[in-house]
Amino acid sequence: MLNLPDPSHPAHTAGGIFDRLDAEWATLCADASVQAAVADWLMADHLGDDVAAVTDSWARTLGPAQLLAALTPHPAHRSDALADAVLRALLVRAAGHDRSATLAARIIVQAMVPAAVRLTRGQVRPFGGRCFETVGHTVIVALYEAARSGRIHHRASRPAANLMLDALRQVCRELAADRETCGIDFALVEDWSDADLGTGGYAHAWTVQAAAAAAGLHDSTREQEAGQARLELLALLLDAMEAGTLTAADAQSIAWHYSTLPTPDAAAAARAGTTAGAWQRRRSRAVHTLKAAHASVA
């Protein structure tokens, strides 16, 4: 069911692996047999009525689109027990050996695509063949294999984060040939201080932390704070770097300063190979640029 191209012969199609997953997902959603299978699963697992309620649907018309919506955290109640229950039910099915197992794993992959994109960004390097598309293939294969592994975490409110951690470990092993230090502390997700992040929130939190570590945005060898405000700042800086609005040094000048334990400008400047005054001016310009970019899209 997961029709991934051979990584040794990547298809030269616009948008890459994640766009192709989205296109395949649209096809799955339009397949009446897939819709019927998903509806049967949800009823058998006694989840149909709850999923129908949160998606404003009739239970017998539930399909992959509604299932994906149920796996997405709702802003009004971020600790989403239903999303956890649905994901665990899918993981149980994905551990099987029939066609329904591959379909369940494929749905899990689609639900985790946003986190997978973050993970991919954090592992891309300008050398060693680690371009976005190549790493993306590795991440998706690792995520699919983690979903099929039968290793199901039952800790409350953490199945998505634990699933992605399993995938991340596999990705790091696959990329170990580059002989780089991964630079990601797996304990970060265990120490996350916001207990209300929910299923998708934990996965998003550690992927932002992973990408931030790879980009050098942490002001120490171990991130000292783990809260929603810090997460939002790091995500904003990562997005600005990806868009070309800020350079890595610009983002570091902000991330290292706006922290509960800020790095002194003199120490930060020494790390960056410049003077404290130049570092302060860089941060001032970076903040102005970031505000201007944000205002232009607001």
Side-chain angles (χ1 to χ4, degrees):
M1 189 62 65
L2 183 61
N3 300 317
L4 289 177
D6 182 350
S8 65
H9 298 88
H12 297 286
T13 57
I17 181 65
F18 295 108
D19 278 0
R20 292 197 295 279
L21 286 175
D22 287 342
E24 182 184 83
W25 178 251
T27 301
L28 284 176
C29 290
D31 188 324
S33 65
V34 172
Q35 185 272 327
V38 168
D40 288 344
W41 294 352
L42 290 171
M43 297 305 293
D45 294 332
H46 306 290
L47 294 168
D49 290 340
D50 290 335
V51 172
V54 300
T55 59
D56 194 23
S57 308
W58 182 47
R60 293 307 307 177
T61 64
L62 294 173
Q66 291 74 30
L67 192 53
L68 185 64
L71 287 166
T72 303
H74 298 275
H77 45 97
R78 303 187 66 163
S79 183
D80 198 334
L82 176 60
D84 290 348
V86 170
L87 180 56
R88 288 194 181 97
L90 282 172
L91 287 168
V92 170
R93 292 189 181 277
H97 301 285
D98 55 12
R99 286 180 59 82
S100 67
T102 60
L103 175 58
R106 176 63 183 86
I107 294 171
I108 292 169
V109 167
Q110 193 68 28
M112 304 306 291
V113 160
V117 171
R118 283 285 188 190
L119 194 161
T120 300
R121 290 173 181 165
Q123 293 297 318
V124 170
R125 299 291 186 274
F127 49 84
R130 288 174 62 172
C131 66
F132 185 87
E133 182 71 0
T134 299
V135 177
H137 276 280
T138 303
V139 169
I140 291 302
V141 170
L143 180 56
Y144 180 77
E145 291 178 350
R148 292 293 312 274
S149 70
R151 185 166 182 246
I152 302 169
H153 300 273
H154 294 281
R155 185 177 176 181
S157 300
R158 304 296 281 277
N162 286 318
L163 175 67
M164 291 303 295
L165 281 171
D166 288 344
L168 176 58
R169 291 185 177 98
Q170 178 62 29
V171 169
C172 289
R173 285 193 292 269
E174 292 291 330
L175 300 178
D178 291 342
R179 300 185 184 280
E180 294 182 69
T181 300
C182 179
I184 299 170
D185 188 342
F186 292 114
L188 283 174
V189 70
E190 298 299 326
D191 295 337
W192 195 258
S193 63
D194 192 337
D196 297 322
L197 285 175
T199 300
Y202 276 109
H204 175 66
W206 78 257
T207 48
V208 170
Q209 288 278 23
L217 299 186
H218 294 334
D219 55 3
S220 67
T221 56
R222 174 177 171 84
E223 180 72 357
Q224 294 296 320
E225 56 189 306
Q228 186 62 20
R230 179 64 173 175
L231 176 69
E232 291 174 356
L233 174 62
L234 293 174
L236 181 64
L237 294 175
L238 289 166
D239 287 342
M241 289 173 62
E242 183 187 10
T245 304
L246 296 180
T247 66
D250 292 338
Q252 289 164 356
S253 72
I254 295 174
W256 297 353
H257 180 75
Y258 294 102
S259 165
T260 56
L261 295 173
T263 301
D265 285 333
R271 283 178 62 183
T274 186
T275 65
W279 188 250
Q280 291 167 355
R281 290 190 293 273
R282 174 183 287 277
R283 181 172 64 248
S284 179
R285 289 193 300 268
V287 169
H288 177 77
T289 299
L290 194 61
K291 286 182 178 178
H294 182 69
S296 68
V297 298

